[in-house]
Amino acid sequence: MALSVNREQRKLTQTPLLKIWVPWVGCNLNRRRGSSVPQFCNSPTMIVMVGLPARGKTYISKKLTRYLNWIGVPTKSFNVGQYRREAVKIYKDFEFFNPENEEAMKIRKACASAALKDVAAYFSKEQGQAAVFDATNTTRERRAVILSYAKERGYKVFFVESICDDPEIIAENIKQVKLGSPDYVDRDEEEAMKDFSRRIDCYKSSYMPIDDEKDRKLSYIKIFDVGSRYLVNRVQDHIQSRIVYYLMNIHVTPRSIYLSRHGESELNLSGQNIKELKVWTSHMKRTIQTAEALGVPYEQWKALNEIDAGVCEELTYEEIQENLPEEFALRDQDKYRYRYPKGESYEDLVHRLEPVIMELERQENVLVICHQAVFRCLLAYFVNKPAAELPYLRCPLHTVLKLTPIAYGCKVESFFLNIEAVNTHREKPVNVDINRNPEEALQTVPDHI
Amino acid sequence: MPGELTQDRIQKTWERSKDDPPANRRAAGAPHFVNPPTVIVMVGLPARGKTYMSKKLTRYLNWIGLPTKVFNVGEYRREAVKNYSSYDFFKPDNECAVKIRQQCALAALRDVHSYLKDEGGQIAVFDATNTTRGRREMILQFGSENGFKIFFIESVCDDPSVIASNIMEVKVSCPDYRDCNKTDAMLDFQRRIECYKTSYQPLDPDQHDRDLSFIKVIDVGRRFLVNRIQDHIQSKIIYYLMNIHVQPRSIYLCRHGESTDNLEERLGGDSGLSPRGKQFSAALAGFVEEQQLQDLKVWSSQLCCSIQTAERLGLPYEQWKALNEIDAGMCEEMTYNEMKEKFPEEFALRDEDKYYYRYPAGESYQDLVQRVEPVIMDLERQENVLVICHQAVMRCLLAYFLDKSAEEMPYLKCPLHTVLKLTPVAYGCKVESISLNVEAVNTHRDRPEDVKRGPGTLIRRNSVTPLTSPESNIKKPRIDDLDEAGFSELPPSVSSPSLCSPSHTPISLSGQNLRRNTSALH
């Protein structure tokens, strides 16, 4: 490899917002990562769901998409059922899914094709890196179509098959997410249940699970009985390895996660009756004091420490504006990626928090006592807020958020504690230019002493 | 009412005051969630990589701070039966030998018991074939009597070239065959394997073993079957096993070229290369070219001197924030003398316990291990990689590859302008130290002689404290000491302590587990 002589002379400069050293301003910044963002993906990855209806495919698709986006892999899920609902405005009954129904078959194939086209557009035009293709994909034929589509375009393919025969689990799934779907909006419960069961039967006869012999060259994970067992075949790369790890850690046992900032006074959860609550704090004194006041055992995580503001630690907004006005403006321009000089960015925080999220997925009832920026990162993960909104999520002091996974999302309840507290939330100001005047910069600073 | 919080002077962690019962005292880092103790049980025919996985896994678990030890039943057998004659020993109808082998397994389990109950161990790896249901049933019984979790790792492989290669790499040179030539050894070993085959009952996820927790590693990691993951540590073990591979490759570790901060003896900072540092970068570029590697990934930290070094190579490289040097907090950019002057107590504390010591508003080596873990995981996935980093970080990585303890880690020698080439071989790692002949300052400080040692030897439960994977300490009875009348039973069980409870007091690990592993081949 020829070595460029000019490299010796070239000085590095540090980009003002991200604080990354680069050989020249504007050069390719893709080759950097925090602790966990995978390498710049050369080939996009298609994650293809496989399984009979009501096996949790959409649940997994949405959750996985949320996780991948949060760790910084632009991901989108494509649910073929939604394409079908677009094409066929009114759902009549299960006969639509009868394999003998030729006209319906045509429509269903067209929907799958349309979805594939959108996947291609997402990768080529929207810089997507992963796409979750959410459909039953229960026949070898359908999977072959997808594989060849992907091969032509240089996409990697990773299958996620969900296999479950426990009638109780299936019935519960149907209740939780199918009865409320647009397909059954005008039906009564019993009628809907019956129809959906017959819908499942339509798929059963032609269902060919991924074959461990015939498909041994493919990359896939089979999930049995909601995670009781997994079969993993040919993990190709880092992102697939992360996906497998994530899928093996999530569960569907009902539980709640409580998020709270450190409090000036006592947190009182006694009215709650929470089963086997675990309590986590950071290593910083104020969260530990809050936990101590609860009088229960707790675990300390350094990863839950507040964002490191570097040279701006302990400065007020006014002081930052006076001494580092350019930094202050840059932060308003891109609060997610902005890194404090000698400190961290929200993006760095997310990477630091990833093991916490992974463990939260494994756990059941947990109370996390942390700090404003950390709280925002965790909340954004659970309620699926994108990077642009994350740093502006509201999480005042003396409020506990109770997050309860439900259906495809997360129910959020707040508990206010009737204590006056200092508001520390600062909205993004109108003028984020580095040449703005101080009044414009300090416009949205909350009142304080 | 909650008592006052005090800050531990070394770790800077907040704890309840000393006069309160140590109910809520926690160690630094991240919780490990490893109660009750776990016995990892290897399963598989000979030459399927069980010992390879046992040792590697143990090294990893110790590095992330979980006291782990391997109990290799073959070693117990070699203690009991001084001279191995031939594969006849392993014939299933060789009654006398069967008895001996059973006793060896029991002896090993006794030691597992003692390690987990009395020596502060948290994970024991029981490395043997364990190919029959009967044997596994006995182990499960042992686990349930003592409150240990049992996790099986089965290695299944039928590719003859892989088996032959394993035998060549680790079997023909093992003590059993010290007086044989390679061909004879290979032949005998293959016959040994045959002895096991007839009675081999693989784990059966569908029926017999469906309630057990295990992972089947099939064809050296091409495929995995995972059944009933119980907890955090099993999940991590599985993730680790899925990321390791056996492709030949090398990992090159080096520091950035000498920086202007180095010249001034400054801690941390983010300065650029000195003229000699630039020379080193050029030399490194030459070195890399000489190595003539097919595919080399280059990783750098996000600090200036590291990036300048990487830039000079003219190859694509990735920046990892996780590879940044240890954060010296309030001491950033001070010289050692300035630190000694401004923070004399901190300076002394650091020498007292360098691994646990956290700079005020900064990091400790213990924090570094946690921060750097994803790098290790990705290094395991990769093939040839050159990592350009910093002194403390490099020590951390090196301790992982060479199985060095927390005690030793902060004093490992990682001089500037020197590349360490690590090549996995047999059960360990070959190290070559290549100096690129560019002068640089020496930034290494040896452990001071006169300093009073802090509580470094205290291993708290749930703390991140790498231990060197302990040497097996077979205090096994010889064959003639064994009870000839019948099989001796394991000692009656003690009722198991349950769950992660905050009332555990720090447990002191017996000295031998901290002893340096002195073999040249690490």
Side-chain angles (χ1 to χ4, degrees):
Chain A
M1 175 121 209
L3 299 168
S4 156
V5 174
N6 284 336
R7 287 186 187 277
E8 287 211 46
Q9 277 75 42
R10 189 177 284 144
K11 278 199 80 149
L12 295 185
T13 50
Q14 196 177 46
T15 61
L17 194 110
L18 298 164
K19 310 292 189 300
I20 300 288
W21 289 102
V22 291
W24 68 93
V25 178
C27 96
N28 185 2
L29 295 173
N30 282 344
R31 296 195 222 101
R32 61 176 184 89
R33 56 160 127 167
S35 63
S36 53
V37 176
Q39 188 193 1
F40 58 109
C41 296
N42 286 321
S43 344
T45 302
M46 273 189 74
I47 299 160
V48 181
M49 304 303 298
V50 181
L52 293 171
R55 263 59 177 178
K57 297 185 300 300
T58 302
Y59 174 82
I60 292 171
S61 301
K62 290 189 180 232
K63 210 169 153 75
L64 190 54
T65 301
R66 174 162 59 91
Y67 169 70
L68 290 172
N69 277 312
W70 187 76
I71 63 168
V73 180
T75 307
K76 190 167 167 185
S77 91
F78 297 82
N79 177 290
V80 176
Q82 267 166 239
Y83 285 72
R84 187 260 306 158
R85 274 184 279 274
E86 270 298 303
V88 183
K89 293 295 176 187
I90 298 175
Y91 172 74
K92 218 175 108 208
D93 64 21
F94 74 93
E95 289 291 354
F96 183 85
F97 294 95
N98 189 330
E100 321 264 306
N101 186 338
E102 276 186 28
E103 202 189 297
M105 274 308 240
K106 253 201 238 157
I107 297 174
R108 290 161 70 195
K109 270 200 186 133
C111 288
S113 295
L116 279 177
K117 277 209 189 68
D118 284 352
V119 166
Y122 178 63
F123 286 152
S124 56
K125 304 204 182 89
E126 293 174 57
Q127 283 86 49
Q129 275 174 19
V132 185
F133 194 71
D134 178 17
T136 49
N137 298 316
T138 40
T139 60
R140 297 185 67 73
E141 188 206 338
R142 173 59 58 85
R143 296 196 292 267
V145 165
I146 297 169
L147 278 165
S148 84
Y149 191 85
K151 188 169 177 192
E152 277 165 32
R153 289 160 184 77
Y155 306 155
K156 287 187 178 170
V157 177
F158 186 71
F159 292 97
V160 177
E161 182 170 25
S162 174
I163 295 166
C164 181
D165 291 314
D166 182 335
E168 269 179 48
I169 298 179
I170 316 284
E172 183 58 35
N173 286 356
I174 298 177
K175 272 209 197 85
Q176 267 217 20
V177 295
K178 300 296 179 187
L179 302 183
S181 103
D183 290 344
Y184 295 110
V185 73
D186 296 320
R187 309 295 163 82
D188 80 18
E189 213 181 274
E190 212 186 295
E191 209 190 301
M193 276 298 259
K194 238 198 255 171
D195 184 87
F196 200 85
S197 300
R198 296 177 86 170
R199 205 153 114 176
I200 298 178
D201 289 335
C202 292
Y203 283 91
K204 273 189 176 167
S205 47
S206 59
Y207 179 23
M208 305 229 61
I210 295 179
D211 186 300
D212 294 329
E213 240 325 286
K214 293 195 203 129
D215 297 319
R216 68 184 177 279
K217 293 253 155 73
L218 301 183
S219 297
Y220 61 85
I221 178 171
K222 283 191 188 186
I223 303 172
F224 296 89
D225 297 326
V226 204
S228 153
R229 182 191 308 178
Y230 304 92
L231 186 91
V232 180
N233 199 63
R234 284 191 190 263
V235 170
Q236 293 173 26
D237 60 14
H238 177 110
I239 191 66
Q240 291 179 15
S241 163
R242 295 289 289 279
I243 290 167
V244 166
Y245 185 43
Y246 182 71
L247 292 175
M248 294 200 304
N249 281 315
I250 61 180
H251 69 78
V252 292
T253 311
R255 53 83 172 251
S256 292
I257 293 164
Y258 301 81
L259 293 185
S260 163
R261 290 171 69 184
H262 52 86
E264 286 154 32
S265 184
E266 288 164 30
L267 264 181
N268 189 354
L269 292 168
S270 58
Q272 289 299 306
N273 222 2
I274 307 162
K275 178 182 87 133
E276 280 180 38
L277 181 69
K278 301 260 170 82
V279 179
W280 295 355
T281 69
S282 71
H283 274 202
M284 298 173 111
K285 193 175 185 183
R286 36 202 201 278
T287 61
I288 298 169
Q289 282 172 322
T290 308
E292 282 286 330
L294 282 173
V296 291
Y298 57 91
E299 303 277 358
Q300 296 186 21
W301 288 77
K302 187 171 193 276
L304 287 172
N305 280 8
E306 183 55 314
I307 192 170
D308 182 356
V311 306
C312 301
E313 276 289 324
E314 288 174 46
L315 297 181
T316 64
Y317 288 119
E318 285 84 355
E319 283 164 350
I320 302 177
Q321 168 57 28
E322 207 185 296
N323 298 305
L324 301 157
E326 193 178 303
E327 292 293 328
F328 200 47
L330 285 170
R331 187 161 202 252
D332 283 335
Q333 284 175 19
D334 191 346
K335 197 173 172 189
Y336 182 73
R337 283 175 195 84
Y338 168 81
R339 191 184 274 172
Y340 282 107
K342 307 206 178 170
E344 293 176 303
S345 60
Y346 271 93
E347 192 175 21
D348 295 328
L349 249 197
V350 161
H351 298 147
R352 158 148 78 83
L353 285 169
E354 210 251 331
V356 177
I357 287 293
M358 198 61 91
E359 190 55 32
L360 273 173
E361 285 295 345
R362 292 199 59 80
Q363 294 286 343
E364 295 188 14
N365 291 322
V366 185
L367 164 63
V368 182
I369 305 172
C370 55
H371 312 264
Q372 183 165 260
V374 172
F375 187 109
R376 286 170 166 157
C377 288
L378 297 176
L379 184 61
Y381 167 75
F382 286 108
V383 301
N384 201 21
K385 293 296 180 187
E389 292 178 51
L390 188 162
Y392 295 101
L393 292 175
R394 283 195 174 278
C395 36
L397 285 168
H398 302 313
T399 304
V400 177
L401 283 191
K402 177 179 178 180
L403 308 168
T404 311
I406 181 176
Y408 295 139
C410 210
K411 180 170 79 169
V412 185
E413 297 162 85
S414 353
F415 298 97
F416 295 101
L417 305 168
N418 279 328
I419 300 152
E420 278 288 313
V422 178
N423 174 27
T424 52
H425 184 89
R426 180 175 168 264
E427 289 290 1
K428 181 171 177 167
V430 173
N431 190 348
V432 297
D433 194 81
I434 55 171
N435 297 312
R436 65 192 176 176
N437 60 49
E439 290 78 53
E440 291 172 302
L442 296 170
Q443 195 182 23
T444 56
V445 171
D447 298 329
H448 61 121
I449 303 162
Chain B
M1 276 291 95
E4 260 301 302
L5 289 178
T6 54
Q7 193 177 38
D8 177 286
R9 283 155 69 230
I10 287 182
Q11 291 184 271
K12 311 296 190 296
T13 45
W14 289 97
E15 303 159 338
R16 280 228 211 103
S17 314
K18 307 295 178 179
D19 45 279
D20 280 355
N24 286 347
R25 237 195 256 170
R26 292 286 180 274
H32 270 293
F33 313 99
V34 199
N35 266 317
T38 301
V39 182
I40 297 171
V41 182
M42 305 305 295
V43 180
L45 294 171
R48 263 60 178 178
K50 297 185 301 298
T51 301
Y52 175 81
M53 281 193 280
S54 299
K55 291 191 179 224
K56 206 170 157 74
L57 190 55
T58 298
R59 173 162 59 88
Y60 168 69
L61 292 170
N62 277 309
W63 185 75
I64 62 170
L66 294 169
T68 307
K69 188 170 168 180
V70 181
F71 297 83
N72 177 291
V73 177
E75 273 169 40
Y76 286 70
R77 189 258 308 155
R78 273 184 281 275
E79 263 297 302
V81 182
K82 285 301 176 186
N83 288 309
Y84 173 77
S85 57
S86 79
Y87 75 96
D88 286 318
F89 184 85
F90 291 95
K91 278 199 173 133
D93 53 5
N94 183 340
E95 277 182 33
C96 177
V98 165
K99 208 164 132 192
I100 295 172
R101 289 159 68 196
Q102 173 88 344
Q103 292 289 41
C104 289
L106 290 173
L109 282 179
R110 265 194 294 271
D111 286 351
V112 164
H113 179 269
S114 151
Y115 177 66
L116 296 178
K117 292 275 185 178
D118 308 320
E119 295 170 41
Q122 274 178 7
I123 301 172
V125 183
F126 191 68
D127 179 17
T129 48
N130 298 315
T131 39
T132 61
R133 286 185 181 167
R135 173 59 56 85
R136 297 196 292 264
E137 190 49 53
M138 177 190 68
I139 298 168
L140 283 164
Q141 174 90 321
F142 165 80
S144 120
E145 277 168 16
N146 291 292
F148 300 149
K149 282 188 179 170
I150 304 287
F151 182 68
F152 294 94
I153 299 177
E154 181 173 25
S155 175
V156 176
C157 180
D158 291 314
D159 181 336
S161 60
V162 173
I163 315 289
S165 157
N166 286 355
I167 299 176
M168 281 311 279
E169 192 149 332
V170 293
K171 300 295 180 185
V172 301
S173 53
C174 97
D176 290 342
Y177 297 112
R178 62 178 167 259
D179 299 321
C180 286
N181 68 51
K182 286 201 176 128
T183 327
D184 290 342
M186 171 72 92
L187 203 59
D188 184 88
F189 199 86
Q190 281 168 337
R191 291 204 170 124
R192 204 151 112 174
I193 298 177
E194 293 302 314
C195 295
Y196 282 90
K197 273 190 178 167
T198 40
S199 59
Y200 181 22
Q201 295 166 298
L203 288 170
D204 173 22
D206 295 313
Q207 288 299 327
H208 190 267
D209 302 309
R210 66 180 176 281
D211 292 328
L212 301 183
S213 297
F214 64 84
I215 178 171
K216 258 190 215 254
V217 180
I218 299 158
D219 292 333
V220 203
R222 187 130 305 160
R223 176 182 294 187
F224 301 91
L225 189 127
V226 178
N227 201 60
R228 296 200 185 269
I229 305 173
Q230 294 173 25
D231 60 16
H232 169 102
I233 197 59
Q234 290 179 15
S235 164
K236 277 198 95 132
I237 288 168
I238 291 164
Y239 184 44
Y240 183 72
L241 291 175
M242 288 193 184
N243 282 314
I244 62 180
H245 68 78
V246 294
Q247 298 309 316
R249 51 82 172 249
S250 290
I251 295 167
Y252 300 82
L253 298 181
C254 73
R255 291 165 68 185
H256 53 84
E258 182 190 71
S259 68
T260 51
D261 276 344
N262 287 145
L263 283 175
E264 292 169 35
E265 277 199 6
R266 291 195 182 280
L267 292 168
D270 195 6
S271 65
L273 295 176
S274 70
R276 293 194 299 200
K278 290 186 181 153
Q279 249 185 290
F280 167 72
S281 313
L284 185 63
F287 170 76
V288 165
E289 210 179 319
E290 268 171 45
Q291 293 288 298
Q292 297 201 314
L293 297 161
Q294 281 282 48
D295 265 294
L296 177 70
K297 295 262 171 78
V298 180
W299 293 356
S300 153
S301 77
Q302 285 186 353
L303 295 174
C304 186
C305 53
S306 188
I307 294 174
Q308 278 180 309
T309 309
E311 275 288 322
R312 183 60 184 80
L313 298 178
L315 299 168
Y317 63 92
E318 275 184 76
Q319 297 186 19
W320 287 77
K321 187 169 192 280
L323 287 173
N324 282 9
E325 183 54 316
I326 192 171
D327 183 357
M330 291 176 21
C331 303
E332 277 283 320
E333 292 182 65
M334 290 189 187
T335 64
Y336 278 113
N337 287 326
E338 280 166 7
M339 182 187 173
K340 202 168 181 179
E341 222 180 271
K342 295 204 171 100
F343 299 105
E345 189 181 306
E346 293 294 327
F347 196 77
L349 286 171
R350 188 157 203 255
D351 281 337
E352 209 178 286
D353 203 339
K354 198 172 174 188
Y355 178 76
Y356 283 108
Y357 172 81
R358 190 186 273 171
Y359 282 105
E363 290 178 308
S364 61
Y365 272 89
Q366 187 185 40
D367 296 327
L368 257 194
V369 164
Q370 222 196 312
R371 193 196 339 130
V372 145
E373 206 219 323
V375 179
I376 288 291
M377 201 60 93
D378 212 342
L379 271 174
E380 285 294 346
R381 289 200 62 80
Q382 297 291 342
E383 296 193 17
N384 293 319
V385 187
L386 165 62
V387 183
I388 303 170
C389 55
H390 307 263
Q391 183 166 248
V393 175
M394 185 166 161
R395 285 170 168 157
C396 234
L397 297 174
L398 197 58
Y400 166 75
F401 287 109
L402 302 185
D403 205 14
K404 298 295 181 189
S405 70
E407 282 262 331
E408 300 168 276
M409 187 195 291
Y411 296 102
L412 293 174
K413 285 204 163 61
C414 296
L416 285 165
H417 300 187
T418 306
V419 179
L420 291 186
K421 178 178 176 181
L422 306 167
T423 311
V425 69
Y427 294 138
C429 211
K430 181 171 82 164
V431 193
E432 293 165 68
S433 172
I434 304 138
S435 158
L436 295 191
N437 289 324
V438 176
E439 288 276 318
V441 296
N442 176 15
T443 57
H444 184 90
R445 285 181 71 244
D446 272 315
R447 188 198 306 267
E449 291 302 322
D450 54 337
V451 159
K452 82 173 199 297
R453 298 291 205 83
T457 51
L458 270 180
I459 312 302
R460 296 189 196 126
R461 239 175 219 182
N462 294 335
S463 75
V464 182
T465 311
L467 303 170
T468 306
S469 306
E471 290 282 9
S472 66
N473 57 328
I474 306 178
K475 31 182 206 267
K476 291 323 77 333
R478 295 287 177 78
I479 181 72
D480 25 275
D481 287 350
L482 294 171
D483 179 15
E484 269 140 19
F487 301 119
S488 49
E489 297 301 320
L490 286 173
S493 58
V494 178
S495 65
S496 52
S498 56
L499 326 169
C500 187
S501 124
S503 60
H504 278 108
T505 46
I507 291 170
S508 169
L509 211 64
S510 58
Q512 67 190 2
N513 287 334
L514 296 176
R515 200 165 292 143
R516 172 194 293 267
N517 190 347
T518 53
S519 54
L521 194 70
H522 293 281

